[in-house]
């Protein structure tokens, strides 16, 4: 499913839709004004990006969502009641974690227009594992507000970028782009919101960060270049922890596994540009996207730095 849209003036139909597409919940109309619900969803890899517009005050009492749910309010107010008995209000221009993924939640959406972005909580652990010294325990968010205004602005900008990517069907169909985008969002969430992620190195990781680890990692990366692989996949193929893998790459190659992977994918894009012709319908954008480069301008800049000329020149030649 790439997208869905729901428009209704029925409270019952709205409740049914929310139960099917979010989690089990009961809703009510707090003010008695006419109900109008407009919801659209776009899928970008493992992420769902929803825009909601409720013209009434919707009371809700919901079961755990099971997802990281980032909420950004455009107009109106969302009153959220948390399991510890506290209440918070998301107002226009504010964003944060709407609800912990494993706890029931309730509140009132006060005539609001807002967006929510959801993904599986395991992605936080996967991304945190890429940090040297992460203890590999499942990562939990410990607060629902960004740690600073600067962190909130950065998170808001990344969410906007995700929505820009989701509007491009060609981008949505590229698994390398969508998986990288999801990891980027998860990393931004870990930077912006308080969590249990730790980054203390261990003696075992230092001992495993030897040249043989790098050799196994390079062999795996080169043979899976066009696949959707993560740093955890590379570490598993190298028989070490992610921490040891990161340390080995820094120690022996002065880079990171994912940076090395991007370098090889840039080279693969270069070889494909050389082998293809624009007369055959190939474009720089399509070739770049196939190798996980979503932003044509950034791809062109990286390509010029590596090869001393424009990718368009290579394709035409």
């Amino acid at each position: 499913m790439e997208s869905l849209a729901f428009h209704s003036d029925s409270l019952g139909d709205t409740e049914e839709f929310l139960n099917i597409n979010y989690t089990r919940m009961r809703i009510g109309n707090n003010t008695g004004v006419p109900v109008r619900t407009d919801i659209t969803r776009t899928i970008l890899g493992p992420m769902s990006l929803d825009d909601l517009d409720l013209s009434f005050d919707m009371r809700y009492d919901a079961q755990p969502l099971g997802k990281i749910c980032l909420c950004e309010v455009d107009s109106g107010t969302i009153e959220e009641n948390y399991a510890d008995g506290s209440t918070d209000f998301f107002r226009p221009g504010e964003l944060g974690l709407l609800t912990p993924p494993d706890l029931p939640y309730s509140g009132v959406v006060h005539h609001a227009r807002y967006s929510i972005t959801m993904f599986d909580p395991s992605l936080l652990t996967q991304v945190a594992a890429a940090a040297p010294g992460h203890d590999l325990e499942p990562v939990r968010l410990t607060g629902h507000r960004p740690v600073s205004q600067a962190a909130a602005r950065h998170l808001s900008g990344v969410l906007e970028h995700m929505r820009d990517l989701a509007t491009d069907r060609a981008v949505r169909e590229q698994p390398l782009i969508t998986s990288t985008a999801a990891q980027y969002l998860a990393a931004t969430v870990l930077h912006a919101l308080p969590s249990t992620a730790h980054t203390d190195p261990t003696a075992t990781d230092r001992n495993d960060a030897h040249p043989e680890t790098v050799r196994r990692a390079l062999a795996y990366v080169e043979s899976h270049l066009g696949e959707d692989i993560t740093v955890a996949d590379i570490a598993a193929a190298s028989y070490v922890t992610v921490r040891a893998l990161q340390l080995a790459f820094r120690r022996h190659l002065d880079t990171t596994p994912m940076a090395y992977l991007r370098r090889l994918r840039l080279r693969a894009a270069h070889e494909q540009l050389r082998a293809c012709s624009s007369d055959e319908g190939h474009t720089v954008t399509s070739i770049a996207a196939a190798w996980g480069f979503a932003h044509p301008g950034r791809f062109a800049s990286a390509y010029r730095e590596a090869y001393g000329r424009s990718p368009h020149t290579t394709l035409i030649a």
Side-chain angles (χ1 to χ4, degrees), residues 62-126:
Q63 295 301 305
L65 190 58
K67 301 282 187 180
I68 298 297
C69 181
L70 304 170
C71 175
E72 189 165 17
V73 176
D74 184 47
S75 66
T77 303
I78 298 179
E79 176 184 349
E80 182 75 5
N81 303 319
Y82 294 96
D84 62 2
S86 63
T87 299
D88 200 0
F89 294 84
F90 291 86
R91 297 182 171 87
E94 296 181 345
L95 81 162
L97 181 72
L98 181 64
T99 175
D102 56 344
L103 296 175
Y105 61 107
S106 63
V108 181
V109 177
H110 295 279
H111 200 114
R113 185 170 67 249
Y114 59 105
S115 64
I116 58 175
T117 302
M118 298 186 296
F119 58 88
D120 194 280
S122 64
L123 187 58
L124 295 179
T125 303
Q126 180 188 112

Side-chain angles (χ1 to χ4, degrees), residues 27 64 77 80 109 133 163 210 283:
I27 69 171
T77 303
E80 182 75 5
V109 177
R163 293 181 179 278
H210 47 66
T283 67

Side-chain angles (χ1 to χ4, degrees), residues 191-213:
H191 169 74
L193 295 171
S195 74
T196 60
H198 299 291
T199 57
D200 297 325
T202 68
T204 300
D205 296 325
R206 295 189 182 95
N207 290 336
D208 285 342
H210 47 66
E212 182 62 19
T213 292

Side-chain angles (χ1 to χ4, degrees), residues 5-275:
F6 174 78
H7 311 283
S8 178
D9 56 6
S10 165
L11 189 66
D13 289 348
T14 297
E15 182 177 88
E16 181 181 8
F17 177 86
L18 296 174
N19 273 265
I20 292 172
N21 292 284
Y22 293 92
T23 187
R24 288 192 298 115
M25 67 176 71
R26 296 295 301 274
I27 69 171
N29 186 346
N30 257 21
T31 57
V33 301
V35 170
R36 180 62 188 175
T37 305
D38 296 289
I39 302 174
T40 60
R41 169 176 292 177
T42 304
I43 301 298
L44 182 66
M47 299 173 287
S48 62
L49 304 98
D50 299 4
D51 291 306
L52 302 93
D53 190 353
L54 306 183
S55 66
F56 64 107
D57 285 7
M58 187 188 80
R59 180 181 68 256
Y60 57 91
D61 190 348
Q63 295 301 305
L65 190 58
K67 301 282 187 180
I68 298 297
C69 181
L70 304 170
C71 175
E72 189 165 17
V73 176
D74 184 47
S75 66
T77 303
I78 298 179
E79 176 184 349
E80 182 75 5
N81 303 319
Y82 294 96
D84 62 2
S86 63
T87 299
D88 200 0
F89 294 84
F90 291 86
R91 297 182 171 87
E94 296 181 345
L95 81 162
L97 181 72
L98 181 64
T99 175
D102 56 344
L103 296 175
Y105 61 107
S106 63
V108 181
V109 177
H110 295 279
H111 200 114
R113 185 170 67 249
Y114 59 105
S115 64
I116 58 175
T117 302
M118 298 186 296
F119 58 88
D120 194 280
S122 64
L123 187 58
L124 295 179
T125 303
Q126 180 188 112
V127 170
H134 176 63
D135 59 13
L136 302 184
E137 293 295 323
V139 171
R140 294 182 298 101
L141 298 178
T142 57
H144 63 276
R145 291 286 190 170
V147 296
S148 67
Q149 287 297 320
R153 287 193 297 270
H154 181 56
L155 178 56
S156 180
V158 172
L159 290 171
E160 182 179 359
H161 181 50
M162 295 300 109
R163 293 181 179 278
D164 288 342
L165 293 178
T167 61
D168 189 330
R169 181 169 183 173
V171 167
R172 295 199 306 267
E173 293 174 349
Q174 297 295 337
L176 295 183
I177 290 179
T178 57
S179 65
T180 301
Q183 292 175 40
Y184 178 40
L185 175 59
T188 304
V189 169
L190 290 176
H191 169 74
L193 295 171
S195 74
T196 60
H198 299 291
T199 57
D200 297 325
T202 68
T204 300
D205 296 325
R206 295 189 182 95
N207 290 336
D208 285 342
H210 47 66
E212 182 62 19
T213 292
V214 175
R215 187 193 66 76
R216 287 194 293 260
L218 296 186
Y220 178 81
V221 167
E222 289 172 1
S223 62
H224 295 78
L225 196 57
E227 300 175 23
D228 178 13
I229 59 175
T230 67
V231 68
D233 296 325
I234 302 171
S238 306
Y239 310 112
V240 297
T241 68
V242 171
R243 294 172 298 199
L245 180 72
Q246 292 277 5
L247 187 56
F249 267 68
R250 287 202 311 274
R251 181 180 292 172
H252 301 292
L253 298 179
D254 193 26
T255 187
T256 68
M258 299 313 287
Y260 186 86
L261 176 61
R262 287 192 295 273
R263 187 188 310 164
L264 291 189
R265 285 175 173 165
L266 182 65
R267 186 176 72 187
H270 169 65
E271 294 300 328
Q272 189 172 354
L273 286 168
R274 291 180 59 191

